[in-house]
Amino acid sequence: MPSTEQQSPLFTRIDWRDQSASLLDVRPRTAGLVLALAAVAVTFVYNHQVATTALVGTWDLRRMDWLLFVACILLVRYGVVPLVANWERSSGTVREFLRRPAGLLSLAWILGFAVLGLVGPELIGMPRVDFYADYQPPVFTTSHVTNIANVECVGPVTDAGCHGTWQYPLGTTSTGENVVNIVMYGAHIALKLSITAAMIMVVVATAVGTTAGYFGGWVDDVLMRYVDFQQTIPAIVVYIIVATMYLGKGLFTLALVFGLLNWGGIARLVRSETLERRESGYVRAARSAGASDLHVLRRHIIPNSAATVITAATRQIPLLILAQVLLAYLNLSDVRLRSLGEILNRALPPLGVGWWVVASITVFLVGTVLAFNVFGDTARDVLDPKEVA
C-alpha cells in the first residue's frame, strides 16, 4: 500500500496538469477581453484627441456611451461566452427555464425591452414636437380634445369626439410627440442605465463578497464593516450632491454613483454563498490537491454564486429604472428632455387631459419591473440546484 507521502506528488502533478489545461482554455477568452477593452480605449483616445467629427454618422459619443461599451464587453465575456462554451451543460438549464411559462413570458418582455431600447430610436426616430398633432388620443379611443383651444383632431371627428388613428397608436403628448417614440426612447435610456450600473454592481459585489467569505478573518471584518458604512449613505443623495457640484446631472453620473454605492446587498449575498461553499467537498479536494486560492475562486466559488448574483442584479435593475424616472420627474436629471419622468410631469394636471400618456408609461414601467423580478426568481429556481463542481 503506497504511503500518503508517495501519493501526494502524484495528485499534485495531476492537478497542475488540469490547471495548466484550464489556463490554456481560458487564455483565448482573456486575450479577447483585453483586445476588446484595448480597442475601446484606443477609440476613446482617438475620438477625444484626433477626430473632429462624429465617428459614426451623426452619433456623438458621450461618456455614458463609452461606459456602456465596457459594460457590454464584460457582459459578453462573462455572460454569453461561458453559456455558449459550456453549451452541453447549459442547454439543460435553458430547457428547464423555457418549461416555466412565467419565466418565459418575463424573458420575452425583457428581450423586447432590450430590442426596443437598442434599435427603436434608430428605426422609428426620436420624439419630435408637432403642435399640429397635440393631445391626440390612442387608436380605438375617443377624446374631446377639440374642446381645448387651438387643438385640432388628426383622426375622424364625430359627436362623440376625436377618434384616435393608427398614425399615433398610443396618442400624442401636449406638444404633439408620439407616445410610441417616447416609450422607445425611454426604453433606450433605461437599457443603457441598466447594463452599465448593474455591471458595475456585479463586478464590485462579486469581488468583495467572494474575498470576504473565502478568506474570512480580518479581511472579512474590514470589508463587511465598509459595506455597513456604505449602506448608511443613500445613493440618491450622493447623486444629487455629486451631479450638482461635479459631474453634471446625466446618465453617466447616475450609473456611476448607483453602481459604486448600491452593491452592498449583493456582496452580502455572495459572501453568504462563499461561506457555505468554501467548505464543500469539491473545494476541499481542490485545495488539498494543490490548487491555488485564485483557481478555487475562479473555477469553483464564483461560478456557483451565479444564481445569487443574477437574482440580486435583476432586482436592482427595476430600482435603477424607477430612480431615473423619479429624478427626471423632479427635474434632477439632464436626460429629462423626452425622458419618461419629464413626460409624466407634463402629462399630469392642471390640464387634466392626456391620460393615455400616463397609462402608456405606467404599463411600460410596471411590465418591466415585474418582468425583471419574475425572471430573477425563475433563474434562481433553475440555477440554484445546479452546482458547478
Side-chain angles (χ1 to χ4, degrees):
M1 176 68 67
S3 64
T4 303
E5 290 76 8
Q6 292 174 329
Q7 293 180 11
S8 179
L10 176 61
F11 286 116
T12 302
R13 287 197 300 272
I14 293 175
D15 177 74
W16 282 112
R17 287 175 183 175
D18 293 341
Q19 290 191 50
S20 300
S22 65
L23 289 174
L24 290 175
D25 292 339
V26 172
R27 192 169 297 164
R29 303 181 195 177
T30 304
L33 173 64
V34 173
L35 288 176
L37 293 177
V40 171
V42 171
T43 308
F44 174 81
V45 173
Y46 174 81
N47 183 61
H48 283 76
Q49 301 296 329
V50 180
T52 57
T53 60
L55 291 178
V56 182
T58 59
W59 185 16
D60 184 18
L61 296 177
R62 303 179 178 237
R63 293 179 300 179
M64 186 63 183
D65 297 314
W66 296 108
L67 188 60
L68 177 64
F69 292 155
V70 175
C72 288
I73 291 173
L74 295 177
L75 178 63
V76 171
R77 167 61 183 88
Y78 294 104
V80 178
V81 171
L83 184 68
V84 175
N86 301 311
W87 182 246
E88 291 185 0
R89 173 181 294 171
S90 57
S91 59
T93 303
V94 173
R95 286 194 297 269
E96 179 64 24
F97 186 92
L98 296 179
R99 292 192 189 102
R100 301 171 183 255
L104 187 58
L105 289 175
S106 65
L107 178 61
W109 182 285
I110 292 173
L111 290 177
F113 158 76
V115 172
L116 291 180
L118 186 63
V119 302
E122 298 297 329
L123 295 179
I124 300 180
M126 301 285 289
R128 299 186 181 278
V129 174
D130 184 3
F131 290 106
Y132 293 100
D134 50 346
Y135 292 115
Q136 301 304 307
V139 66
F140 302 129
T141 64
T142 302
S143 176
H144 294 280
V145 295
T146 53
N147 296 335
I148 305 175
N150 300 323
V151 175
E152 298 181 358
C153 182
V154 175
V157 180
T158 64
D159 293 337
C162 175
H163 299 276
T165 66
W166 284 105
Q167 184 177 354
Y168 303 107
L170 298 180
T172 62
T173 66
S174 59
T175 55
E177 295 168 303
N178 194 339
V179 177
V180 172
N181 297 56
I182 288 174
V183 173
M184 293 279 191
Y185 191 70
H188 175 70
I189 293 176
L191 181 67
K192 293 171 69 172
L193 177 63
S194 301
I195 294 177
T196 52
M199 188 56 60
I200 294 174
M201 287 189 224
V202 166
V203 171
V204 178
T206 302
V208 173
T210 53
T211 302
Y214 184 79
F215 292 101
W218 67 268
V219 175
D220 185 20
D221 292 337
V222 170
L223 292 177
M224 288 301 102
R225 295 301 74 78
Y226 172 75
V227 171
D228 292 338
F229 171 75
Q230 178 183 282
Q231 290 186 307
T232 63
I233 305 175
I236 193 168
V237 175
V238 176
Y239 165 77
I240 294 174
I241 296 173
V242 173
T244 303
M245 298 180 62
Y246 300 103
L247 297 179
K249 299 181 292 185
L251 275 182
F252 176 81
T253 306
L254 186 63
L256 207 60
V257 171
F258 276 79
L260 292 176
L261 293 181
N262 261 25
W263 52 265
I266 303 177
R268 287 189 176 280
L269 294 174
V270 174
R271 172 182 175 271
S272 299
E273 288 282 339
T274 304
L275 287 172
E276 177 183 351
R277 298 183 186 281
R278 73 177 183 179
E279 301 302 329
S280 300
Y282 56 84
V283 173
R284 292 199 304 267
R287 284 202 299 256
S288 64
S292 64
D293 292 330
L294 179 61
H295 177 83
V296 172
L297 287 171
R298 184 172 60 89
R299 296 299 299 271
H300 302 292
I301 301 295
I302 293 178
N304 282 309
S305 301
T308 300
V309 173
I310 291 173
T311 303
T314 52
R315 293 290 178 84
Q316 289 292 328
I317 289 175
L319 299 179
L320 291 169
I321 296 174
L322 294 177
Q324 189 278 320
V325 172
L326 173 63
L327 291 169
Y329 180 85
L330 298 175
N331 293 331
L332 292 173
S333 175
D334 282 345
V335 296
R336 63 183 182 274
L337 181 61
R338 302 185 184 92
S339 176
L340 297 182
E342 193 271 340
I343 297 298
L344 280 176
N345 194 340
R346 290 197 282 114
L348 294 174
L351 290 177
V353 296
W355 58 265
W356 50 85
V357 180
V358 178
S360 299
I361 294 176
T362 301
V363 169
F364 168 75
L365 291 176
V366 171
T368 302
V369 170
L370 183 62
F372 274 104
N373 286 334
V374 173
F375 176 82
D377 292 340
T378 306
R380 174 73 182 187
D381 295 339
V382 172
L383 292 173
D384 189 51
K386 310 293 185 180
E387 293 188 2
V388 182

